[in-house]
Amino acid sequence: MIVVALLLGTLVGSVLSGFPGSVTGLLLGYALWSILSHRNRLSALEEELRDLRQRINLSTRSSAAPLSTGQERDELFSAASGQPRPERSEESTRQEPDSIPEWTPDWTATGQEEPGIGQQAAPPSPSRIQLFMEPLYRFLTGGSLLVKAGVIVLFFGVSFLVKYAAEHSLLPIELRLSGAALAGIALLATGWRLRLRRAGYACALQGGGIGILYLTTFAAFRLYALLPPFFAFAVLVAVAALSAVLAVLQESRSLAVLGASGGFLAPVLASTGTGSHVALFSYYALLNLGIAGIAWFRAWRILNLIGFAFTFIIGISWGWKYYRPEYFVTTEPFLILFFLIYTFIAVLFALRQPPNLKGYLDGTLVFGTPIVAFALQAMLVEPYHFGLAWSALALGLFYLPLAWLLFLKRPLFMRTLCEAFFAFGIIFATLAIPLALDGRWTSAAWALEGAALLWAGVRQQRRSARAFGILLQFGAGIALLCDMPGTTGLLPVLNRQFLGSALIALTGIFSAYTLHRHRDKVLPWESIMGIILLSWGLIWWFGGGLAEIDRQATEEYRMGIALTFLAASSLSCDILGRRLRWPALAWPALALLPAMLLSALAMVANDLHPLANGGFAGWPISFAGLYLILYRHELLYTRLLDLLHSSALWLLAALLSLECAWQLDRWIAGSPVWPLIAWGLIPALLVLLVTTRALRPPWPMDRHGNAYLSLGLTPLVLTSGAWCFYATVSSPGTPFPIRYLPLLNPLDITFAAIAVILPLWLQRLRGVFAESFARQPISRVFYAAYFATVFFWLNGILVRTVHHWGKVPFRALPLYHSVLLQATLSIFWSLLALFVMVFATRKGIRTIWLVGAALLALVVLKLFAVDLSGTGTVARIVSFVGVGILLLVIGYFSPVPPRTPEDKQP
């Protein structure tokens, strides 16, 4: 068989394309032989399996019914082994039936036992060289070798004889063709008469006769125009039908193969390169219909593959050389016909399998037919704008109903074939969308299709369907991104871009929920893909919504609409997650707070205040939605909830401070001190609100009060302290439009409020966290920082007073060289040191006394360090005399307290 395949491939290739074609044909012939050899091995294994089953059934029946006579045992032995029973002596035949032990098959034998009588050791597996040479060996040593060789030589001889006679005009053409036809009929008749005595010989003769009839009829019609078209095709139909009938009646695959091969090769061998493609494809259509007729009765895969290979290889060769766009009308019907024929043959092959192999597929036809046909169709419809899209849609609409129909008719046996056809229907329908529509419609269709496929794959336990559905989800997003620069439409929300984004988002979320709901039926990696799909869908939902707001909303209300959209989406995720019992949706709900933080940063970057651009409605709605979500998640992890509540408080403080500063600057223009005080006063008031029991709301303070006191208020307290230092250094405190008065101005009043509120917070914090205060020096650290801030504030009051009343510029160098400021600071520091040291002496606190002493030493050093020579001797005398008197008073009223154990602590 390999010799025939190689010769046929070489011959066809050389006729079509010379030496390169012969090499290609040789390779294709070897590939065809490989397919056929594997099919033959499968058939042999099936026959061996049937034989083994018959023997097992026979052995089971023999063990169930004991043999009554020796003659029956002899018959059974002969039937099971295929050999006659050995002769037995008279003594052995006279044994009583009861003395003969009943034979029972032993099913417990292992492969480790030594081979006994009648058993042979398993032959060694053949090498690759032996496997390669085995078909050639069978061809050379099998029966009817001379007949096979003779038929092949005769067939080629007749082919070249017809061609030679046509070129040299040796005999009248009618006589030559009539003689060839009579020779073919004679071979057929001889083979039919010998079919019962020598089946192989007879089939070979009949195959050669059929091939000669094919060749003669085609030559008479195509080369010499001796037969009218209708009569010629009637003869070809008759020959094809005769070949099919003979092959089916005699169950001869070789006859079918020889007849089909001769029929396909006839036009190739007799071709002059100037024929009509309509006649060629009509002729091949008849041949393929004959193969389909045989497939109706017999599941002969080799015949199907030969017809498929010859039809499409020769068709591709003709198209590569001769096809032009004007041939479309006369070529397209044949391509559709060949596609339908071999799809029909693939279905018949699955239906005609034996009961133990029902549903077995011919993968070459099932998968090769649509792939080859679609590739050829792409070449045919290339000049047409939507030709390939309509072709893909037609294939999808053909395969999907066919799969459904087969599943309804044979749900058990045809399941695999139905799945293959269903997959092709989905694939071709999917390809039709991007071939016909733009990226937005493609993404929408792919998103819906991917979600449907994933849902069906989960319900039917089909991994490939689930994987393809997931890939379509991501492909839909990529398709929409590639088409983003296009027009979006005029209508808000009801435009292609937002609807496409929303569709991708919703299908992604639906797919993620499907995987979550059936998480016990999917693989671990698919559960991870569920989380990725959920994130994918949420990104498209929030991103598409914010992009739509940015495009469609007016600037006057854009921020408010965006905040409302974020709050509504997060709240919807929370409600949906509870109803569907889907914990993963709690995270996008809780992500509202980070979204609000990003919105606040965007607002600051655009130089806006919180109530601008619709923020007067957006921020209250978003905070209401946030606290509603936090209220619904009270059973969540406590530390995470504490962090979220505290972060919400920080954001609220920042927004209130920013808005208050903007409003003060708007209503009291001309002085920067008014907007400045908002950044210190608002955090302090929030500290007072949370600290005072009578002012704070029941929820969330009752449940998360400790978190608000510690984690929530500590950054606000630090902010207030840092603001005190910043305001003292940077602001002269001009309270335009009113006059400046020490302590009775907005800046100093804010300082005083902060100085009163912060100790109240520490007192409340100490009562709640008493154990922590007992273990750590929290109070000592706080009061050290607190009094340092108060000292800095009091100095700032003196500096601002000298600036306003002494007309000293509020800059570093003028203030440093000011005699009035330096004298005032020296006296103030000395009085403060006196007060601190006297207080420390009465309380017996050595550490505080040392602080006062250090402050007094600093006063003395400042007197000698500051250059007062340029201001006259009066200031110098007043400063030194005043400080000296204070030192004497301090020395009398404030001796050094004794060392206590507390002072010895580090």
Side-chain angles (χ1 to χ4, degrees), residues 570-571 574 578 586 589-594 596 622-637 640-649 699-700 703-704 708:
S570 298
L571 193 58
D574 182 63
R578 286 179 174 269
L590 295 173
L592 176 60
L593 180 59
M596 293 168 63
S622 59
F623 270 103
L626 173 63
Y627 280 105
L628 180 58
I629 292 172
L630 293 177
Y631 180 77
R632 292 165 60 90
H633 288 82
E634 282 297 327
L635 300 179
L636 198 65
Y637 188 50
L640 179 59
L641 275 180
D642 292 344
L643 179 61
L644 292 174
H645 279 278
S646 301
S647 301
L649 181 63
W699 187 92
R703 186 174 182 87
H704 304 280
Y708 274 95

Side-chain angles (χ1 to χ4, degrees), residues 440-458:
R440 296 181 182 88
W441 290 109
T442 299
S443 63
W446 281 6
L448 290 173
E449 184 181 354
L453 272 177
L454 189 142
W455 177 82
V458 170

